[in-house]
């Protein structure tokens, strides 16, 4: 899930700066397809790559992670507001699918074990 949140934040910041994906990929010395995978949350990033991205976007690492934390908390808050109000959550299933797809095999096994332990009768 963290890859998805990081990717969404990078895309949001890039679009706020009105930088095309192609131009930004060149600035950070990646292929456009790699940047696309990053923004879609399907490619993991090293801290040094996040630092490079932040530098090109004109944002400090601490500010980047603060925004990441804020967005994550905000999304969680939105989820519970909609859930408690009984509103349909169309994006929930796709968000869960994307999040699970971004996990490593070990993380998927741990998640399965956790969920399975709650489903025992």
């Amino acid at each position: 899930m963290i890859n998805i949140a990081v990717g969404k934040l990078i895309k949001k910041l890039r679009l706020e700066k009105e930088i095309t994906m192609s131009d930004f990929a060149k600035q950070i010395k990646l292929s456009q397809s790699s940047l696309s995978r990053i923004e879609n949350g399907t490619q993991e990033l090293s801290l040094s790559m996040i630092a490079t991205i932040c530098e090109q976007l004109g944002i400090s690492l601490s500010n980047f992670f603060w925004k990441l934390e804020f967005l994550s908390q905000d999304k969680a808050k939105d989820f519970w507001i909609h859930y408690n109000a009984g509103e349909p959550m169309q994006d929930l299933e796709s968000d869960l699918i994307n999040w699970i797809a971004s996990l490593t095999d070990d993380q998927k096994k741990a998640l399965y074990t956790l969920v399975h332990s709650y489903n025992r009768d």
Side-chain angles (χ1 to χ4, degrees), residues 10-115:
I10 290 169
K11 183 176 183 177
K12 178 181 182 307
L13 295 170
R14 176 181 62 78
L15 292 174
E16 285 175 1
K17 297 275 185 178
E18 298 181 355
I19 305 170
T20 66
M21 185 181 286
S22 176
D23 288 342
F24 192 60
K26 289 175 189 171
Q27 289 174 5
I28 59 174
K29 297 178 176 51
L30 286 179
S31 67
Q32 187 172 339
S33 60
S34 290
L35 178 57
S36 177
R37 285 191 300 274
I38 289 168
E39 289 186 352
N40 289 322
T42 59
Q43 182 169 317
E44 290 188 20
L45 288 168
S46 66
L47 185 57
S48 63
M49 180 51 71
I50 293 173
T52 299
I53 288 169
C54 287
E55 183 179 324
Q56 291 301 315
L57 291 170
I59 185 173
S60 68
L61 275 172
S62 61
N63 195 358
F64 179 84
F65 286 112
W66 179 85
K67 287 178 181 290
L68 184 63
E69 181 67 20
F70 178 78
L71 290 174
S72 296
Q73 289 175 0
D74 201 41
K75 186 158 182 97
K77 183 174 69 175
D78 285 348
F79 168 80
W80 288 111
I81 288 170
H82 293 297
Y83 177 79
N84 289 330
E87 296 175 20
M89 296 178 289
Q90 294 92 356
D91 295 335
L92 179 60
E93 186 173 352
S94 63
D95 284 351
L96 284 170
I97 289 168
N98 289 334
W99 174 67
I100 292 169
S102 73
L103 298 176
T104 66
D105 287 342
D106 287 339
Q107 290 170 324
K108 288 175 185 175
K109 289 175 188 175
L111 177 62
Y112 176 81
T113 302
L114 176 68
V115 171

